[in-house]
Amino acid sequence: MNAAHPPYVPRHRKTTELLVVHCSATRPTLDIGVKDITQWHRQRGFDTVGYHYVIRRNGEVQTGRPESAIGAHVKGHNANSIGVCLAGGVDATGKPENNFTSEQFAALRGLLEQLGTRYPDARILGHRDLSPDRNGDGVISSSEFIKACPSFDVRAWLKRYT
Ligand SMILES: [Zn+2]
């Protein structure tokens, strides 16, 4: 499969306005990392892993795409954002669940602090906060899985530290 895949050539981003938190939508027992996600994303037709960073269940921060490259993680916002993905985020039945480890939250905090020094004007939010309000009624439908990502309220979580 890899043999048939063209080599990944990064395209560089001009602006960084958003730091977007995602989850892998995998069960907490699944110890996945950047290698696994790269495979999945290639199967979906991406050049390589869509995220810039992946945080494993044990809190290890792994690099995906180069930080300066355009990612593939949030429709309509890739050209001006960095994507960070936490491993986990669904329960045994596949429903969204905030089941991240304290190591992951600590690592996320540290990573966002670092990114915040490099991109001081960037806003931090969750993928679901960028969901399109398709019918314009101000309510985001819960029927679409992507809208749950990353399975917790990033802005409320941030507020506890600032
Ligand atoms: Zn997402």
Side-chain angles (χ1 to χ4, degrees):
M1 191 182 65
N2 278 353
H5 206 281
Y8 165 64
V9 181
R11 285 170 53 225
H12 292 280
R13 214 175 41 250
K14 293 194 180 72
T15 57
T16 306
E17 290 162 25
L18 304 171
L19 307 178
V20 185
V21 179
H22 297 263
C23 71
S24 60
T26 48
R27 294 165 191 200
T29 48
L30 210 56
D31 180 26
I32 55 122
V34 81
K35 251 176 98 172
D36 309 273
I37 299 176
T38 301
Q39 262 183 21
W40 302 337
H41 283 184
R42 283 187 167 172
Q43 281 162 10
R44 283 167 54 186
F46 297 1
D47 294 334
T48 186
V49 60
Y51 309 113
H52 298 86
Y53 293 100
V54 172
I55 302 178
R56 294 190 83 109
R57 300 292 301 170
N58 67 3
E60 184 195 342
V61 178
Q62 298 182 298
T63 303
R65 295 198 182 206
E67 193 180 292
S68 61
I70 295 175
H73 57 97
V74 54
K75 214 174 174 181
H77 300 278
N78 285 313
N80 64 351
S81 68
I82 287 175
V84 178
C85 177
L86 299 166
V90 299
D91 68 13
T93 68
K95 281 208 195 83
E97 178 182 63
N98 180 349
N99 54 23
F100 306 104
T101 65
S102 52
E103 289 86 354
Q104 284 180 298
F105 279 121
L108 178 63
R109 217 181 127 187
L111 178 60
L112 291 173
E113 276 169 13
Q114 280 180 37
L115 292 172
T117 62
R118 293 200 278 283
Y119 312 98
D121 298 328
R123 282 194 301 139
I124 299 170
L125 32 70
H127 188 181
R128 68 183 189 182
D129 300 318
L130 293 166
S131 300
D133 180 17
R134 289 207 176 95
N135 62 7
D137 69 351
V139 180
I140 291 158
S141 130
S142 61
S143 61
E144 281 187 352
F145 179 69
I146 194 168
K147 309 249 172 98
C149 179
S151 300
F152 71 102
D153 185 338
V154 171
R155 288 179 290 194
W157 171 77
L158 272 175
K159 255 184 219 151
R160 279 185 260 143
Y161 300 110
T162 51

